[in-house]
Amino acid sequence: MKQLMEPILFKTISQVADESVKYIENRKNHTIVPLKTRWSKFNRVTCGGIEPNMILTIAGGSGSGKSAFANTLETDLIDLNSNQDIVILSFSFEMLSYRQIGRKLSNKLRKTTSELYSAEADLSDEDFTKVKTTVESIKKYPIYYVDTPCSVEKIEETIKYFHDNIAKDKWLIVILDHTLLVEGDSERGTIVDLQKMFIRMKKLSFTSIIQISQMNRNIEQPDRLNNPSSHYPMRSDLAASDAIFQASDFVMALSRPELLGLAIYGVNRLPVKNKVYLHFLKVRDAGEPCILAFDNELKYGNLIETNTEVNKEKVIFKKFKG
């Protein structure tokens, strides 16, 4: 006689409804408080900031500032949420972790990394003293780096270990920079497996995933550059976009139109000089997709939120208090 298999775990709608009410109550009484960033408009669009049990994808082409954006998020989540017990696990596959610290120092000390690394003139003794003092405060951050690219399976094992041991009873933030550097037999197959794994991992108690993804070069094609209605990033511009869109709660694409040689950006004729735009391509449960504008201060690893907000093909100017 064939042995019956055990059914998978299920919940009644009554149980799930109670969980929903409990989450709403926890947001109301501030038992659950999203993690804030320095960007107020970003916080608003993401329903208050970085929430637990979510996947946030940041995409961009080379030089768009996506790694700097993630590095800023990494620091802000600690600096601006001191009342939260956080552990950050950062898979820094693209850049050696000591270079990530260099970017944090650049941001905090208002020195370019070229200046910090004495590229043209030796760093002064006074500035080096500031470096050492600032590093001592950075050392206290609960951040752990993995420099060596590895497989989806090894990433999953590491996340589980941190969740159960290092971040036990704390909020675990997982950052991956970036998806194309995960080891596997094929690029698309690896990204699909990665997204499936991240969906499993985000369901662990108080775990959030931030992944950096690469955009392809379709946006650089002449037919798109010559057509303002095609300037903005689209879903198809992301590598393995179907899998990433399905898995992610938020999908954002950073764009620096200056790098594309554009004089004006999009049908809205947005300014180009020293501007970076963050396009929300997917916004789950938090409103309409929109575009946030930033002044480019990437030389210090920073983006400055501006008063310009683009929504539903209109440019809206609002008085903004940071």
Side-chain angles (χ1 to χ4, degrees):
M1 184 175 178
K2 187 176 181 180
Q3 187 177 2
L4 295 176
M5 295 179 63
E6 290 290 330
I8 61 173
L9 182 66
F10 60 86
K11 300 176 183 179
T12 68
I13 191 171
S14 177
Q15 290 171 309
V16 176
D18 287 341
E19 290 177 0
S20 180
V21 171
K22 184 62 177 176
Y23 180 78
I24 293 171
E25 180 184 20
N26 287 339
R27 288 292 301 261
K28 179 178 181 296
N29 62 25
H30 305 294
T31 301
I32 294 177
V33 179
L35 303 177
K36 305 297 183 186
T37 74
R38 68 184 62 188
W39 305 300
S40 296
K41 290 186 188 335
F42 177 91
N43 296 337
R44 189 192 68 210
V45 177
T46 55
C47 204
I50 306 300
E51 290 191 279
N53 313 117
M54 66 168 285
I55 299 174
L56 186 149
T57 298
I58 304 164
S62 298
S64 62
K66 57 187 183 297
S67 293
F69 191 91
N71 190 290
T72 302
L73 273 178
E74 185 178 276
T75 305
D76 282 359
L77 296 183
I78 296 170
D79 288 343
L80 304 180
N81 301 277
S82 57
N83 58 331
Q84 302 272 22
D85 210 354
I86 301 168
V87 171
I88 295 178
L89 172 61
S90 182
F91 293 91
S92 183
F93 292 167
E94 185 171 37
M95 183 180 297
L96 289 171
S97 50
Y98 81 86
R99 293 277 185 171
Q100 298 281 22
I101 302 303
R103 287 189 170 187
K104 295 186 191 305
L105 289 169
S106 172
N107 188 287
K108 290 178 178 294
L109 297 175
R110 308 290 296 173
K111 293 280 186 183
T112 67
T113 52
S114 292
E115 291 173 318
L116 290 175
Y117 301 153
S118 302
E120 296 183 5
D122 290 344
L123 191 68
S124 70
D125 291 341
E126 179 183 358
D127 284 332
F128 185 57
T129 298
K130 292 178 181 178
V131 166
K132 292 190 290 184
T133 301
T134 306
V135 159
E136 289 306 310
S137 65
I138 292 175
K139 284 181 179 179
K140 299 174 183 177
Y141 288 5
I143 302 175
Y144 299 80
Y145 289 103
V146 177
D147 276 347
T148 307
C150 54
S151 66
V152 173
E153 292 77 13
K154 184 58 73 174
I155 293 172
E156 182 171 14
E157 290 175 9
T158 306
I159 293 173
K160 287 180 177 177
Y161 175 82
F162 267 77
H163 178 268
D164 295 341
N165 297 278
I166 308 299
K168 189 174 182 179
D169 300 322
K170 299 178 181 179
W171 193 332
L172 176 61
I173 308 294
V174 178
I175 300 176
L176 170 65
D177 188 5
H178 59 71
T179 58
L180 294 184
L181 297 178
V182 177
E183 293 186 340
D185 294 332
S186 71
E187 180 180 294
R188 180 174 178 77
T190 300
I191 292 179
V192 170
D193 290 342
L194 179 68
Q195 301 313 301
K196 291 179 179 178
M197 182 272 288
F198 276 161
I199 290 174
R200 294 194 296 271
M201 293 300 97
K202 82 167 186 177
K203 295 181 180 180
L204 297 174
S205 59
F206 270 85
T207 299
S208 305
I209 312 287
I210 301 171
Q211 62 177 344
I212 310 303
S213 185
Q214 186 75 19
M215 288 175 56
N216 57 44
R217 301 184 64 178
N218 289 345
I219 203 167
E220 299 176 16
Q221 298 300 316
D223 59 331
R224 290 188 62 175
L225 295 178
N226 294 329
N227 183 1
S229 64
S230 299
H231 285 174
Y232 298 160
M234 300 182 290
R235 174 174 179 157
S236 59
D237 293 325
L238 275 70
S241 60
D242 289 344
I244 288 176
F245 267 76
Q246 182 180 13
S248 301
D249 298 282
F250 294 89
V251 178
M252 292 158 276
L254 279 165
S255 178
R256 286 180 63 189
E258 269 184 313
L259 298 181
L260 300 174
L262 297 173
I264 52 98
Y265 187 47
V267 293
N268 306 109
R269 302 182 64 84
L270 299 174
V272 168
K273 187 173 178 58
N274 295 323
K275 296 294 182 182
V276 178
Y277 293 96
L278 182 66
H279 297 254
F280 280 82
L281 304 181
K282 179 180 180 181
V283 183
R284 179 176 286 168
D285 299 332
E288 294 293 326
C290 63
I291 307 171
L292 301 185
F294 298 86
D295 287 333
N296 180 356
E297 202 179 58
L298 289 172
K299 66 179 182 179
Y300 300 131
N302 187 35
L303 293 172
I304 302 171
E305 196 171 53
T306 71
N307 296 340
T308 307
E309 177 182 340
V310 186
N311 193 10
K312 295 182 179 179
E313 298 304 318
K314 294 181 181 179
V315 183
I316 304 168
F317 294 92
K318 295 184 177 181
K319 190 173 182 181
F320 172 65
K321 296 180 180 179

